């Protein structure tokens, strides 16, 4: 990936992150579940369910909705910048993990466990 494309993709991902964070930040159920360690941000750029035994059907539905919106945004960014959806998701994940509040759980990579920020 050229440096220009990487920078353009990163800026587009940052814009999408701001948009997506605004979209679900108003959802108190998502925010509460993140604060309780039931869900967290993953290295893929999507929300993950950390503790399925504590996730209600409603919470699972909300996580799926957020992830579907993220996929749509990542797909648009990827097509505009000639990148893969996976690359855009990973760039987004970096920003989302950085923005995680203290005490929230993040999964920085496939080989690492869920970790508190």
């Amino acid at each position: 990936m050229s440096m220009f494309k990487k920078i353009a993709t990163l800026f587009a991902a940052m814009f999408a992150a701001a948009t997506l964070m605004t979209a679900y930040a108003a959802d108190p159920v998502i925010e509460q579940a993140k604060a309780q360690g039931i869900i967290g941000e993953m290295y893929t750029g999507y929300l993950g369910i950390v503790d399925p035994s504590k996730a209600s059907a409603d919470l699972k539905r909300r996580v799926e909705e957020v992830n579907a919106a993220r996929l749509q945004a990542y797909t648009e960014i990827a097509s505009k910048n000639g990148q893969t959806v996976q690359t855009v998701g990973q760039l987004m994940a970096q920003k989302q993990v950085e923005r995680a509040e203290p005490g929230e759980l993040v999964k920085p990579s496939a080989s690492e466990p869920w970790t508190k920020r």
Side-chain angles (χ1 to χ4, degrees):
M1 173 183 336
S2 75
M3 182 58 72
F4 176 76
K5 280 191 173 187
K6 189 171 185 175
I7 291 170
T9 302
L10 181 61
F11 281 121
M14 289 170 49
F15 175 75
T19 302
L20 290 171
M21 297 299 273
T22 301
Y24 85 84
D27 187 339
V29 174
I30 292 285
E31 292 303 310
Q32 183 178 20
K34 286 177 90 173
Q36 293 173 337
I38 299 170
I39 64 174
E41 295 289 347
M42 298 192 316
Y43 64 97
T44 57
Y46 299 97
L47 288 174
I49 298 177
V50 178
D51 189 348
S53 69
K54 294 182 181 177
S56 68
D58 179 57
L59 178 59
K60 290 176 185 177
R61 179 188 55 78
R62 289 170 191 252
V63 167
E64 288 174 6
E65 289 173 356
V66 169
N67 286 341
R70 288 182 181 190
L71 175 60
Q72 182 179 1
Y74 299 168
T75 301
E76 291 172 13
I77 293 167
S79 69
K80 288 178 184 175
N81 292 287
Q83 300 299 319
T84 66
V85 173
Q86 181 181 12
T87 299
V88 174
Q90 289 170 342
L91 289 169
M92 272 297 271
Q94 293 172 1
K95 294 297 169 197
Q96 292 162 335
V97 167
E98 289 171 8
R99 288 186 177 134
E101 295 291 325
E104 290 182 354
L105 293 171
V106 296
K107 185 158 179 60
S109 74
S111 62
E112 293 180 69
W114 287 99
T115 306
K116 271 192 181 179
R117 288 282 296 164

